[in-house]
Amino acid sequence: MKGILWKKGKKLKGWKPRYFELRDNFLFYYEKKPEDLPKGRKTKIDIQFEGIIYLSGCNIERTADYYITKKCGFVITCKDSGYPPRYLYCTSPGELDEWMRHLGKFQ
């Protein structure tokens, strides 16, 4: 599963679009989709991921703010990792259902 999700920033708390890719029990995210980089700019450094979320043992649930903010969101909480919850949202309820179906395997 891969696609654009909006991620809540750690410092400024704004929402930023990021390209996410689910591989095994890891959710990698990139500032830009690797295929969207200009030609000749696909070195290892250019496509390095911005972050990674280890999903095993994490709690993944929908957020309840769709009717207020129109965001189709979910939160990933990893209790024993020491990391804060990761808030993400999609652009449609159908896309959210698809992400939840794929991510639900790792709870």
Side-chain angles (χ1 to χ4, degrees), residues 2-17:
K2 18 177 132 168
I4 300 291
L5 294 172
W6 292 78
K7 176 185 162 297
K8 192 168 190 176
K10 291 179 190 173
K11 295 179 184 172
L12 299 177
K13 306 297 183 201
W15 292 96
K16 302 173 191 174

Side-chain angles (χ1 to χ4, degrees), residues 32-46:
K32 294 182 180 180
K33 186 176 176 181
E35 295 86 38
D36 290 345
L37 293 170
K39 285 191 176 207
R41 297 264 330 195
K42 291 190 181 181
T43 65
K44 198 171 191 176
I45 293 170
D46 290 329

Side-chain angles (χ1 to χ4, degrees), residues 2 8 14 16-17 21 24 27 29 31 35 39 43 47 50 52 56 69-71 81 86 98 103:
K2 18 177 132 168
K8 192 168 190 176
K16 302 173 191 174
E21 186 174 355
D24 296 322
L27 188 59
Y29 58 96
E31 188 173 345
E35 295 86 38
K39 285 191 176 207
T43 65
I47 60 172
E50 184 177 320
I52 185 170
S56 289
T69 65
K70 300 299 181 203
K71 291 183 172 78
S81 70
R86 308 288 180 98
E98 192 172 343
L103 294 170

